[in-house]
Amino acid sequence: MTVFPLPPGSTIGILGGGQLGRMLAMAAARLGFDTAILTPEADSPAARVAARVIVADYADPAALRTLAGISQVITFEFENVPAAAAAELQRLGAEVAPATRALAVSQDRLEEKSFLNAAGIGTVGFAAVDSEADLLAAFQRLGPSLLLKTRRGGYDGKGQSWVRRSDDPAAALASLGNLPCIAEAPADFRREMAVIAARGRDGEIALYPLTESHHENGILRRTSAPAKGSPRLFAEAEKIATTLLIALEYVGVLGVELFEDDDGRLLVNEFAPRVHNTGHWTLDGCEVDQFEQHIRAVSGWPLGPTAAIHHVEMTNLLGEEAGAWEKLAREPETRVWLYGKRQALAGRKMGHVNRLSRLDGA
Ligand code: AMP
């Protein structure tokens, strides 16, 4: 049985081998932990900075057994790990954090929004759409223009498209592969924002300053933090994040994407049970960054302080943009983070830069 807090020298298992896993592994190493990565991808960004790597499908029973055998705690760097894999790890007696409930809820947009509403947290209006009749009913209830999203598997704007009442409903459903969908009313937002929140094993909660985020083609492009806002806005973000952490009995870092409407009220778009791209600014902008915070939380360590020490403009480097590393490295205010991906495919997140400036009032 694992005893918390985990001492340095323990091994933290991570499902997923992308850049989030890489930055988690780097943070874990700084605290004296080893990491073991399970990923189907050979030569992944996380694997190259980890002590152990298991290249196998997430559902591979032997791989899960090996990971459970060498890890004192197991966490995730992305949420679309098959629920069966997480359940199998728990059956093997592994400590899994965050608990698989958060994973299951966040994997299905319909369950996620229903869960949020049940916890008293506002979202855009939505309806389940499994057929043409459902889509027509959704137009009746939610309005003439809706964002249709697959319930599962979508990310970075994939698996979603706008549909108007005048469109052919069969073609709209076919364009998303006739998969179970959710139709959402348009969010009439002034800003997109995010809050990164953490909860420790003892229930301690720590929140990072609010972030303003800018998307292009459904992909996060830029964030700016700490965001400006009224005390009421900050209090509302805090209430949302705290409610969610407690409702999910959460341990670890959670990313919550928000819409701010014209009246300065917040709705939740979605949440991710993991470290999040809108929290990359904390690497250079906060006392303890989101990656170290997640490692601290799942290891049963005390949470670290989250106060901002710089204002940060974070920009994702997509595709060939990371080729400008030499120029970027010459900018004194810029911190360059590159993920070691071998192929710069169009739109692929290859790295990010954090541009630092003085905090307002500092
Ligand atoms: P998602 O995959 O749900 O995070 O959506 C990606 C992006 O699409 C969001 O960051 C928004 O810019 C936009 N978006 C998502 N849902 C809505 C909505 N209901 N209304 C308007 N824009 C949306």
Side-chain angles (χ1 to χ4, degrees), residues 109 113 124-125 147 149 154-158 160 162 184-189 192 215 217-219 257 259 269-270:
R109 293 179 187 279
K113 288 206 161 57
V124 293
L147 187 53
K149 302 178 177 178
Y155 67 97
D156 283 349
K158 295 186 178 70
Q160 51 182 270
W162 286 99
E184 295 183 9
D188 192 11
F189 58 83
E192 286 194 73
H215 291 78
N217 306 319
I219 302 183
E257 295 181 28
F259 296 126
N269 173 28
E270 61 178 1

Side-chain angles (χ1 to χ4, degrees), residues 216-250:
E216 280 171 19
N217 306 319
I219 302 183
L220 184 71
R221 195 72 180 115
R222 248 172 354 96
T223 67
S224 172
K228 291 195 171 59
S230 65
R232 193 189 73 174
L233 182 79
F234 296 142
E236 202 180 336
E238 183 176 338
K239 182 158 173 263
I240 288 171
T242 306
T243 303
L244 201 47
L245 287 169
I246 293 171
L248 291 166
E249 296 175 50
Y250 201 82

Side-chain angles (χ1 to χ4, degrees), residues 48 59 61 66 81 89 107 139-140 169 173 180 195 239-240 245 263 267-268 272 275 281 293 302 305 325 336:
R48 297 207 301 283
T66 306
V81 169
L89 287 171
Q107 280 178 357
F139 282 125
Q140 287 290 344
L173 293 171
V195 59
K239 182 158 173 263
I240 288 171
L245 287 169
D263 301 324
L267 298 178
V268 172
V275 287
W281 73 278
Q293 193 75 293
W325 54 270
V336 183

